[in-house]
């Protein structure tokens, strides 16, 4: 059975919730059939998030690592293809720091690609009737930071890892007027499917 580490993020920028945290907690409660699932919630703080992720990888020795984050404005489950070596925040992280124009890893490659089977994951989620797509930018805030740190940490290993951005949930509409949303239950189902595809056990 593949060991999977799944992470979400706490709320940030004054928001009351983060759907990525709710998805991770829902799947931690139910488990995902056929995989040995380990979960954690990361702080939306540049250095602390990546330090904690590296610690969790050491602790759990996962075969697969999938990190989730909220992407307001997106209407589909968004499978990120590329992480770039750039921290460039437009808003403060949850420690109050606004890091700009800094590499994620000094001397690291300019970018890393996902090592998840993202096209199969998109196809499987879509065939369950849930909106999904590929993305070529995870931005330059803490989500891209964690994605780049993850790919850098696992470089040269045979582990599969990557990042998925998720839409807002309808409960956030009052805070994010006019932005697209997707119900939490659909998001949870999509991520369970994605995990099972990554683990090679999705019966498509
Ligand atoms: N989304 C932010 C950081 C945490 C989160 O859930 C991002 O896209 O960078």
């Amino acid at each position: 059975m593949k060991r999977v580490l799944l992470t979400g993020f706490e709320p940030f920028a004054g928001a009351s919730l983060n759907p990525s945290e709710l998805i991770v907690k829902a799947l931690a409660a139910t488990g995902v059939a056929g995989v040995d699932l380990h979960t954690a919630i990361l702080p939306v703080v540049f250095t602390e998030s990546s330090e904690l992720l590296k610690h969790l990888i050491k602790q759990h020795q996962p075969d697969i690592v999938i990190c989730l984050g909220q992407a307001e404005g997106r209407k589909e489950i968004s499978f990120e293809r590329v992480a770039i070596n750039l921290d460039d925040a437009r808003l403060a992280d949850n420690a109050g720091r606004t890091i700009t124009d800094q590499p994620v890893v000094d001397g690291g490659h300019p970018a890393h690609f996902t090592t998840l089977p993202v096209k199969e994951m998109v196809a499987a989620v879509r065939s369950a009737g849930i909106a999904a797509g590929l993305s070529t930018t995870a931005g330059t805030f803490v989500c891209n930071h964690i994605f780049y740190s993850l790919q850098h940490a696992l470089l040269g290993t045979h582990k599969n890892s990557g990042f998925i951005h998720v839409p807002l949930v309808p409960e956030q509409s009052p805070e994010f007027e006019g932005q697209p949303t997707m119900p939490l239950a659909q998001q949870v189902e999509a991520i369970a499917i994605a995990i099972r595809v990554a683990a090679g056990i999705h019966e498509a």
Side-chain angles (χ1 to χ4, degrees):
M1 200 185 269
K2 297 261 190 202
R3 187 174 300 182
V4 177
L5 174 62
L6 177 72
T7 74
F9 276 111
E10 65 185 5
F12 64 103
S16 57
L17 61 86
N18 187 325
S20 69
E21 175 172 16
L22 303 183
I23 295 166
V24 169
K25 288 187 168 162
L27 290 175
T30 58
V32 173
V35 307
D36 176 17
L37 185 68
H38 298 260
T39 64
I41 304 303
L42 303 176
V44 182
V45 177
F46 277 101
T47 309
E48 282 82 342
S49 60
S50 42
E51 289 306 313
L52 176 57
L53 182 65
K54 283 185 255 175
H55 171 78
L56 291 165
I57 290 170
K58 253 199 197 124
Q59 184 187 345
H60 297 298
Q61 296 288 317
D63 304 299
I64 296 165
V65 184
I66 299 176
C67 298
L68 308 178
Q70 164 188 310
E72 55 277 10
R74 296 202 192 172
K75 57 184 189 323
E76 54 188 26
I77 304 291
S78 193
F79 292 80
E80 299 293 350
R81 303 187 78 172
V82 56
I84 62 172
N85 194 10
L86 177 65
D87 285 339
D88 192 41
R90 255 173 288 152
L91 61 155
D93 69 14
N94 283 357
R97 283 182 307 225
T98 308
I99 296 183
T100 55
D101 300 317
Q102 296 295 317
V104 178
V105 175
D106 262 325
H109 293 301
H112 290 300
F113 290 113
T114 186
T115 49
L116 294 173
V118 286
K119 288 192 173 170
E120 283 104 307
M121 293 162 104
V122 168
V125 172
R126 282 187 182 160
S127 67
I130 301 170
L134 298 169
S135 164
T136 48
T137 177
T140 53
F141 191 47
V142 181
C143 287
N144 173 74
H145 175 90
I146 209 72
F147 184 18
Y148 185 93
S149 302
L150 172 62
Q151 301 311 98
H152 181 82
L154 297 184
L155 205 59
T157 70
H158 293 291
K159 296 169 191 285
N160 293 105
S161 59
F163 194 92
I164 306 171
H165 262 125
V166 299
L168 301 171
V169 288
E171 292 74 13
Q172 291 173 287
S173 287
E175 288 171 50
F176 293 89
E177 221 178 297
Q179 302 275 25
T181 65
M182 182 187 283
L184 180 64
Q186 258 184 39
Q187 300 204 28
V188 171
E189 187 188 346
I191 300 306
I193 292 168
I195 290 170
R196 287 167 57 78
V197 172
I201 52 170
H202 184 73
E203 61 299 328

